[in-house]
Amino acid sequence: MVPGQWAGGVVGARYAVERGFSYQDVPELPGTRRIKAGPDAIAMLLAMNAAIVAMLASGVGVIVDGQAFEPDVNADLERRLADLRAQGLARVAMIELVATDEPLADRQRRHQHPVGLSLYQNTLPKQAANPDLVVETSGLSATEVADIVCDWLDQEF
């Protein structure tokens, strides 16, 4: 979703630090990092929200995997989804997958993500104000988590 010059996986991307996305150390939480979103990054995230809503409104099923932890962007998506739900234009489920710090750090190490990113995100308010389902994933495999979510979706929808 993110073009290379705004840090879409490109080290030293031209617009990352001031305008796009960048990883930054969090001095008050040693060993953690955060994603900083500049003004172009925020615009991209809001555009992604509009695209999600347009796909849902046209009847296409969508799974959104973790928005950026930007309160205004998250509130925008929740508002848009609530509007779709209220108008009967889409069935919407907000599902929150949570884990404690230790399994998050282990998962990041195994998948070569910047270690510490999820540790910082775990200190922030949750993305969805009122999720429909919360699944604690710390001791579960990906298959077990998928089974829980799919079983819940089958019961609800």
Side-chain angles (χ1 to χ4, degrees):
M1 184 206 110
V2 179
Q5 65 268 31
W6 277 275
V10 177
V11 175
R14 184 177 348 155
Y15 303 115
V17 176
E18 287 101 27
R19 304 208 51 86
F21 298 92
S22 61
Y23 291 115
Q24 297 182 340
D25 291 332
V26 180
E28 63 272 19
L29 296 168
T32 63
R33 295 181 357 165
R34 68 184 282 269
I35 297 174
K36 178 187 174 287
D40 290 348
I42 297 293
M44 285 181 227
L45 293 170
L46 291 170
M48 186 176 75
N49 288 354
I52 291 165
V53 169
M55 287 186 276
L56 287 168
S58 71
V60 175
V62 179
I63 296 173
V64 179
D65 176 19
Q67 282 290 86
F69 284 84
E70 296 293 335
D72 292 343
V73 174
N74 294 337
D76 174 72
L77 181 59
E78 273 201 80
R79 180 188 52 75
R80 290 172 184 257
L81 293 175
D83 289 348
L84 276 182
R85 183 187 274 173
Q87 295 172 39
L89 297 175
R91 295 183 298 174
V92 176
M94 300 296 276
I95 300 171
E96 181 180 312
L97 305 180
V98 299
T100 58
D101 287 349
E102 187 177 320
L104 287 175
D106 180 58
R107 291 170 188 170
Q108 284 192 146
R109 277 189 295 275
R110 286 185 288 121
H111 296 286
Q112 298 180 338
H113 277 271
V115 174
L117 186 60
S118 65
L119 298 177
Y120 174 72
Q121 290 174 330
N122 229 17
T123 69
L124 300 175
K126 299 303 178 194
Q127 291 177 308
N130 297 301
D132 300 301
L133 173 66
V134 178
V135 180
E136 165 55 64
T137 69
S138 294
L140 302 175
S141 69
T143 301
E144 291 168 322
V145 172
D147 287 344
I148 290 168
V149 171
C150 289
D151 289 347
W152 182 85
L153 289 169
D154 284 344
Q155 289 176 356
E156 293 296 314
F157 296 100

